[in-house]
Amino acid sequence: MKNGYSDITVVLDRSGSMACLVDEVIGAFNTFVDEQQQVAGQASFSLVQFDDRYEVYLDAVDLAKVGRLDRTTYVPRGMTALYDAVGRAIVATGTRLAALDEAERPDKVVFLIQTDGEENASHEYDAATLQAMIRHQQDKYAWEFVFLGANIDAGSVAEEIGIARDKALQYANNADGTRAAFAAVSDNLAGFRRGDRQHMAYAEEDREAQRKAGA
């Protein structure tokens, strides 16, 4: 393992319901990237955008070279094939990391999953399959999975797919909630990458910020 090297994958919902907050999502995501670029240490960054289609927008790009989203590169549409997006991203990441020499593999692997609605369009994966996949990666390889969810019971949905409830954040589906959600995960991830945190559980202050925003 290469100490101080993080591999980060973001699975970002771009289904049609995200259109009402498109500028807020773009701004919050860009701020998240900007903040992560200030954290010491090497990192590779992958971005998957999904609706009822799956698009790899960035594939293990050096974090320092990641650009900004805008209205041409983040365009909400379609339905919510959440399970398929997460399943495919896990397989792709596992395959990519397995091809590396042991000395070149990151010592931290992080998945951020964000959605604003219920799964309604997957065909390849279901919750039980994802739960087995995620628990395998957590238990055998110490991958960290965190979940952001609006308009759903984020804790319950996360648990259904194998992510602990304390690593799921219910966020208010409005401008304040969106900004606070990405700020919370950015702070969480920065601490994890620096070694200040062993795991990426959300703090009570993160949940309080969402309650104030209306979650």
Side-chain angles (χ1 to χ4, degrees):
M1 296 288 182
K2 183 182 287 189
N3 291 331
Y5 176 26
S6 302
D7 189 87
I8 303 162
T9 296
V10 177
V11 181
L12 184 67
D13 191 341
R14 64 153 186 223
S15 60
S17 58
M18 297 293 294
C20 63
L21 290 169
V22 63
D23 290 327
E24 288 77 10
V25 171
I26 289 170
F29 176 86
N30 288 339
T31 298
F32 164 76
V33 170
D34 290 343
E35 290 172 349
Q36 293 306 309
Q37 288 173 333
Q38 303 307 309
V39 178
Q42 181 183 356
S44 51
F45 191 91
S46 299
L47 173 60
V48 170
Q49 297 188 38
F50 75 95
D51 45 273
D52 48 319
R53 287 176 283 178
Y54 176 90
E55 179 183 271
V56 179
Y57 181 68
L58 298 169
D59 187 11
V61 174
D62 182 341
L63 177 59
K65 298 178 180 178
V66 172
R68 301 173 71 80
L69 287 182
D70 58 32
R71 277 183 167 264
T72 67
T73 53
Y74 180 75
V75 183
R77 64 195 186 195
M79 299 177 71
T80 307
L82 173 65
Y83 296 163
D84 283 357
V86 175
R88 291 178 67 177
I90 290 171
V91 170
T93 300
T95 300
R96 174 169 53 79
L97 296 181
L100 298 176
D101 290 338
E102 178 66 23
E104 295 302 313
R105 291 178 187 165
D107 66 337
K108 296 181 176 70
V109 179
V110 177
F111 261 70
L112 165 60
I113 302 162
Q114 176 275 329
T115 187
D116 80 332
E118 296 280 359
E119 155 65 48
N120 60 23
S122 291
H123 301 288
E124 298 177 60
Y125 295 90
D126 58 21
T129 303
L130 279 189
Q131 183 179 112
M133 293 170 67
I134 287 173
R135 288 182 174 171
H136 173 76
Q137 298 298 341
Q138 289 174 145
D139 295 346
K140 187 169 184 178
Y141 299 109
W143 289 17
E144 285 285 312
F145 290 83
V146 288
F147 189 88
L148 295 176
N151 300 323
I152 54 174
D153 182 341
S156 294
V157 173
E159 283 186 326
E160 284 182 355
I161 61 172
I163 301 172
R165 187 173 284 267
D166 63 352
K167 296 180 182 181
L169 181 65
Q170 180 92 29
Y171 76 93
N173 195 38
N174 56 38
D176 289 344
T178 300
R179 286 192 291 266
F182 278 89
V185 78
S186 182
D187 180 66
N188 202 353
L189 177 56
F192 181 65
R193 290 177 59 201
R194 288 193 300 262
D196 300 335
R197 303 182 183 205
Q198 279 194 306
H199 299 287
M200 288 184 60
Y202 292 103
E204 178 56 31
E205 64 191 43
D206 300 328
R207 304 186 192 283
E208 179 59 26
Q210 290 303 326
R211 288 190 285 269
K212 289 179 179 178

